[in-house]
Amino acid sequence: MKNILLFMIFSTNWVFSQTTLVKKNDLISIPLITTFTPSEYNGGIQNWGIAQDTTGYIYVANNYGLLEFDGATWNSYPIDGATKTRSVLVDETSNRIYVGGQRQLGYFDRTSKGLSYQSLLDRIPSGITVDEIWDLITFQGNIYANINGSIVSIKNDRITSIKNVDGVEFLMQANNELIAGSTNGIYIKKNGEGFKKVHKSQKSFRGAIKQDGNYLMFTYDGEIYHYNQGNLKRYYTQIDNFLADAKINKVLKLSNDHVVIATQNNGLIILDKDLNPIQHLTKNKGLNHRTVLSLYEDDFKNLWVGLNNGISVIELGSPFSLINENVGLEGTGYVASVHNNTIYLGTSSGLFKPYEDRDFRSIRGYSLINGSEGLVNNLSIIDGKIILSHHEGAFKLNSSGTDQFFDATGTWQFKAIGNSKWLGGTYDGFYLINQIGNTQSTKYLKGLAESSRVFEFENDTTLWMTHGYKGAFKITLKGDSIHDVKRYGANSGFPSDILISVYQIGNELIFTGELGVYLYNAESDSFDRHPFLNEWFGDRHVSKIKEASNGNIYFIANGEMGVLKRKTIGVYEIEEKQFRKINGFISDDLENISLLNSESILIGAKEGFVLYKPDWDQPIKEIFHAHLKNVSVTNHDDSTSHISGTFFKSQALEKTKRLRFEYSSPYFDGLNDIKYAYRLMPYENEWSEWSTTNWEEYTNLPAKDYTFEVKAMNVYGNESVVSRYNFTINPEWYETNLAYAAYASLILFIFTSVLLVRERKHKVEKRFINLTKEEVIRSKEREISEFSEKTNQEIQSLKNQSLKKEIEHKNSQLASVTMHLLSKNEFVMSLRKKINDALENKDNTETLNKIVKSIDRNIDEDEAWETFAHHFDQVHGNFLHKIKQEVHLTPQETKLCAYLKMNMSTKDIANLMNITIRGVELGRYRLRKKLGIQRETNLVEYLDNF
């Protein structure tokens, strides 16, 4: 609390010590202006008249017809059979929009299908030539029109000619009177009276205003006349020459009693109530054309200007205006100051000051001071001199330009530290300038070689310098030198080392950090959060802060401008809303706020400066509306219908493919910053995100009752009244209750039919299953039979394989027996030979005995035939047994049959039987006879098949 009170006391003392240095009219600027080109409003280049309805929509009489602006979009309404539209009037009683032009007079009615035109040409009395209709005025419940110099009255679609008035060049209402300027004189109509000719002047008048009970009349040639009680005399001003060259097209008196004159050749000029020039706008100076055809002041005190090529909206009621190249100021704005009632503006292009035309003060601008070209970093007023801190060094201003007194590259600013001593912060540290008479000495202060842009003195020996990314430096001076330097940053209470700046508010030094505002605590040698300012700023980064003479504290925090307004000592309130429309202009490079006085505040902009006049602050219009402008209904056959109008009633719609809602809000204070939110109940319960898009579409909505809601938010963050549209989407014929009853009956019928069909189908399926089951059983039986047969075959095959192996074994045994017989026969043959040899020698008794023994041994082996016969019958199916039963055979014939069955050769058989080959043949013959075999029958085949 102690710090807060000290802060307030210091601020108050400083406020009362500051004096006003600048007069209101010394700053040259242009208002905030929005321009619409023909391609943007989709019309012709010329715009002859402007009006506004009770909803807030703007209507423009354009070469191509009637234009409508709803705050978001432009709509064009051409008129069949007509060419240029010259005038427009909104009748608030009937809500009709009357238009006049080249061979056209009529009105637009708002219907559910949009604006519908009704022509009144056939109602114009005969005798009036209908070529051009220039003026439409409402007065005392009637509408008056200037038709080719004649005046007619329109009421209830009936047109009445006004007699004895012709040659009219303008028609306008002034207070409770209707005045007509004619080449035949001046006519005035008062309440309940007809038009009266009050003067015979034949001047070509273009307009009139009523000022202090008298009329000021303006001619095309730029002359101004004062009319009072039948007297007309010339009224001279300092802009007479200007008006004579520019030529006057229109005159409009604003709600604040200022006067706007639209000219043919030189834009428009705004005058105060005494006709002193305040503002001049023309091509390359706010407007995009020199010819101004029409003027209109809307509900927000904006001036709508119909040009020969486009439309401009001038925010005359705004406290903000711009100082940029349109008034001769080049570059980004960095610093502004005032000295001897002259304003100096420093930019990235040099130092500028105002100049003026002595014949016409409003045609003014800014000129570059010789020798100041380049980046201006700061301006200081020291010892009655203006010191220019520049990228190229430092300069003193003189009557003809600049004198450079310091040539070190990159000077940030200078401060006086005593008699004739200046401390300069540069790109590489501090320099001390000592001025003694005409002699100057320069000294570089060693000890801190850092860029020193922002610095403030705590006392005579303590200096604080803050660096953009290296922290804060506490510098102790001793004599003309730096005695000690200490750095503070993230380890000293700041959130980080970056974005630290020092400012003097009242008699107190405050430090802004990356997050929040801080004070130096000498006891702890660290930094603490500022107890007062952090209540307002919290963790925002304050990049610039300054206090005005009235105690208000202006700041830029997170790139947004604001002010802490002092209500009483210690009581402040924050205001930021009104600055939102200029935040986009503010430069983000070395932000600057220059407080020229309590009435004129300059903010450094990307292009020049923004001028803020707090005294011009207007109450923010809190209550406004969002309007549902149009509903487009696209059916399933892709045909589209529209429902239009300012107000919508609840209605029923057929089932649609797509619904498109278009909405707007004619809030013309910051008209480019309107945002919208919407929802469709009960389809959506939450509002949409805010967006500048002014339409929304829904597709294939189901049949139901709906409410579409839309609201707008202006540049100040205020929300509008919610606009609602109730509608019902009717079901298709197949979605009606009758259809649903039919569906239920059909479903019941189908359900019953399905049950019956399923029951019948069940029976058929059961029968089919039984038949299938039987067929499956038969199939299985066949498979089993086939499998059994296959198994038997495999078993038989295995048996055959076994028999084959057994036969092969028996054959092997037969072969063994046969070999034995062959061996035996060979033995017998060899024995015969030995006996024969022995018989020839009588002394071989011993040899014969040996032979006898050998025969005995072989005789024992006759048992081999029995073995052979046994195996032979096993192999050949008891062949020998069977053949013996059929035919009586000798042993020799039995053996012959066996040998023949074995398909042995005649030679082998002879050897086995110990007979000759002839004996074998003879045995075969005898065997044939016994067997009864014919000669042509093969004996071996016969035996093989036996």
Side-chain angles (χ1 to χ4, degrees), residues 166-436:
D166 57 9
V168 175
E169 293 195 338
F170 85 90
L171 183 67
M172 64 175 292
Q173 181 182 0
N175 296 343
N176 294 321
E177 298 177 342
L178 190 62
I179 183 169
S182 166
T183 55
N184 295 322
I186 301 173
Y187 298 84
I188 293 179
K189 175 180 174 57
K190 296 183 179 182
N191 288 334
E193 301 178 359
F195 279 91
K196 293 182 179 180
K197 189 173 185 178
V198 296
H199 198 277
K200 297 180 179 180
S201 172
Q202 296 181 349
K203 299 289 183 181
S204 179
F205 291 109
R206 286 293 185 268
I209 63 171
K210 200 163 187 180
Q211 200 83 297
D212 298 328
N214 300 317
Y215 280 104
L216 292 178
M217 311 286 294
F218 298 81
T219 70
Y220 174 75
D221 291 324
E223 298 174 340
I224 305 174
Y225 288 86
H226 181 274
Y227 170 77
N228 182 30
Q229 299 294 323
N231 296 317
L232 187 70
K233 64 179 181 179
R234 181 69 187 272
Y235 188 90
Y236 294 96
T237 70
Q238 59 178 308
I239 60 171
D240 289 345
N241 293 336
F242 170 82
L243 294 177
D245 294 335
K247 307 301 181 187
I248 297 176
N249 282 332
K250 294 282 184 180
V251 179
L252 175 68
K253 184 177 181 181
L254 301 176
S255 58
N256 62 357
D257 288 335
H258 288 178
V259 179
V260 185
I261 299 176
T263 75
Q264 179 69 23
N265 303 322
N266 205 352
L268 64 84
I269 184 170
I270 302 173
L271 313 172
D272 63 19
K273 67 177 182 177
D274 297 322
L275 301 191
N276 296 312
I278 298 173
Q279 184 83 60
H280 173 235
L281 302 174
T282 187
K283 186 173 183 179
N284 299 324
K285 191 180 177 184
L287 303 181
N288 65 346
H289 204 276
R290 294 182 179 275
T291 300
V292 178
L293 301 176
S294 56
L295 301 168
Y296 184 83
E297 184 181 20
D298 69 14
D299 296 340
F300 291 88
K301 314 304 179 186
N302 298 319
L303 179 65
W304 290 74
V305 181
L307 302 170
N308 203 65
N309 184 19
I311 300 170
S312 291
V313 185
I314 305 172
E315 297 187 32
L316 292 181
S318 173
F320 301 103
S321 58
L322 302 177
I323 301 175
N324 52 29
E325 287 199 38
N326 284 316
V327 290
L329 186 78
E330 302 174 1
T332 300
Y334 285 112
V335 64
S337 187
V338 61
H339 182 60
N340 293 334
N341 288 327
T342 300
I343 298 168
Y344 296 92
L345 304 177
T347 74
S348 57
S349 298
L351 186 64
F352 294 79
K353 68 177 182 178
Y355 72 89
E356 64 182 50
D357 185 331
R358 293 182 180 178
D359 293 331
F360 177 26
R361 284 177 53 84
S362 68
I363 303 180
R364 300 181 298 167
Y366 295 87
S367 60
L368 180 66
I369 295 176
N370 292 332
S372 70
E373 296 85 351
L375 174 61
V376 175
N377 288 320
N378 211 322
L379 291 172
S380 306
I381 301 175
I382 304 177
D383 298 336
K385 301 180 179 63
I386 297 179
I387 307 302
L388 170 63
S389 298
H390 197 280
H391 178 69
E392 302 295 334
F395 303 81
K396 297 176 184 177
L397 264 62
N398 57 39
S399 58
S400 60
T402 61
D403 290 325
Q404 186 168 17
F405 67 90
F406 181 71
D407 59 3
T409 301
T411 302
W412 288 118
Q413 66 168 313
F414 278 89
K415 289 181 181 292
I417 60 173
N419 293 330
S420 302
K421 288 186 179 181
W422 305 346
L423 181 67
T426 70
Y427 292 1
D428 59 357
F430 287 101
Y431 285 81
L432 183 64
I433 307 294
N434 195 352
Q435 299 275 352
I436 302 175

Side-chain angles (χ1 to χ4, degrees), residues 806 810-811 813-814 817 863-881 884 898:
E806 186 176 355
K810 297 298 183 181
N811 285 335
Q813 290 178 331
L814 288 176
V817 171
E863 295 178 359
W865 167 254
E866 295 297 332
T867 302
F868 174 82
H870 174 73
H871 291 302
F872 185 86
D873 274 346
Q874 285 184 341
V875 173
H876 294 284
N878 290 327
F879 173 78
L880 295 178
H881 178 73
K884 285 180 182 181

Side-chain angles (χ1 to χ4, degrees), residues 14 21 112 121 145 148 216 258 299 347 352 356 416 479 537 578 581 669 705 713 748 823 871 897 942:
W14 185 83
L21 299 174
S112 61
L121 278 178
N148 229 44
L216 292 178
H258 288 178
D299 296 340
T347 74
F352 294 79
E356 64 182 50
F537 298 123
Q578 67 267 41
K581 66 168 61 177
D669 185 5
D705 294 331
M713 182 173 67
L748 181 60
S823 175
H871 291 302
C897 286
Y942 177 82

